[in-house]
Amino acid sequence: MKNLSVLAVLSLLALTLPLTIASDPSPLQDFCVGVNTPADGVFVNGKFCKDPKLATADDFFFSGLQNARPVANAVGSNVTAVNVNNLPGLNTLGISLVRIDYGVNGQNPPHTHPRATEILLVAEGTLLVGFVTSNGDGNRLFSKTLNVGDVFVFPEGLIHFQANIGKSPAVAFAALSSQNPGVVGIANTVFGSNPAIDPKVLVKAFQLDPKVVLDLQNKFKK
C-alpha cells in the first residue's frame, strides 16, 4: 500500500509538472500582434539570433559606464541604459543594466518598468528612493534614504523614483530583470501622450482645474 501511495504521488507530479512550467514567454515590447503567416509579420518578440559560430567577444562587451553623463535637463538626471539594443549578447538572457547620474536636487521621476524588477546600488551621494504598491495593497509607500553602498529593490511594474537629497551629485547603478525592461514615465506619459488624452478625463482623474491640466499638457507635449 505504501508503494502504491508513492506511485500515485509520482504519477500526479508527472501529470501536473508540465502545467506548472508551461507559460507564455515574457513580452519584450509593449505588444506583439499575432499574424497568420510569417509574410505578414513586421516584428518579433525579441531579436533574431546571430549564427553562434559568427559570435565574437565584442557581441558581449560594452564600454563607457565609468563616464559621468550631463544632467542639465528639467529633472536633473541622466539614465544610460545597457540593454539588448546596444549590447546584442544580452538577447534572451533576461538582464540589463543602467547608470543613473543625478545633479544636485536632481531626480529620476516616478516611472515604471513594465517588464522588469530593478535592483539599485548607490555608488556616489545620497538618494531618497521609494516605490508605491498597487491599488489592492492600498497604494502603500515603501521609502528609504540610501548612502554609498546601499541597495534597494523596486518590484516589477510598480511606480518608483529616486531623488538626490545630498549636497553633491550622485551616481547609482541598477540591474533589471529583462533584456528590454521598458520604461513608462508617469508625468510625461499621462500629460504628454500622442495624441493627447481628453483633458476632461484628466480633470476628473486628478481633480484638477481644467486650466492646470491644459498647462501640463502643453508643458509635456512632445
Side-chain angles (χ1 to χ4, degrees), residues 138-169:
N139 300 130
R140 291 188 295 157
L141 172 65
F142 289 74
S143 184
K144 290 284 288 185
T145 297
L146 305 184
N147 296 299
V148 174
D150 290 341
V151 172
F152 198 80
V153 174
F154 306 106
E156 179 176 344
L158 297 186
I159 295 174
H160 59 281
F161 64 88
Q162 306 106 36
N164 182 4
I165 59 173
K167 297 181 179 180
S168 61

Side-chain angles (χ1 to χ4, degrees), residues 3 7 15 26 65 87 96 98 104 192 195 197 207 212:
N3 290 337
L7 182 60
L15 289 171
S26 297
L65 281 189
L87 184 55
S96 58
V98 297
V104 177
I197 298 173
Q207 298 294 292
V212 173

Side-chain angles (χ1 to χ4, degrees), residues 113-128:
H113 299 294
R115 297 181 286 275
T117 291
E118 175 181 350
I119 182 168
L120 179 136
L121 166 69
V122 178
E124 297 177 21
T126 301
L127 298 178
L128 174 68

Side-chain angles (χ1 to χ4, degrees), residues 56-92:
T56 69
D58 285 339
D59 292 324
F60 303 91
F61 175 77
F62 180 94
S63 180
L65 281 189
Q66 78 280 9
N67 298 320
R69 266 55 177 188
V71 294
N73 54 51
V75 296
S77 70
N78 194 326
V79 179
T80 304
V82 181
N83 54 39
V84 69
N85 295 315
N86 54 15
L87 184 55
L90 287 175
N91 193 37
T92 75

Side-chain angles (χ1 to χ4, degrees), residues 32 36 99 101 107 127 131 136 168 196 204:
C32 185
N36 294 324
R99 171 189 171 123
D101 291 278
Q107 63 174 266
L127 298 178
F131 66 85
S168 61
K204 191 164 188 176

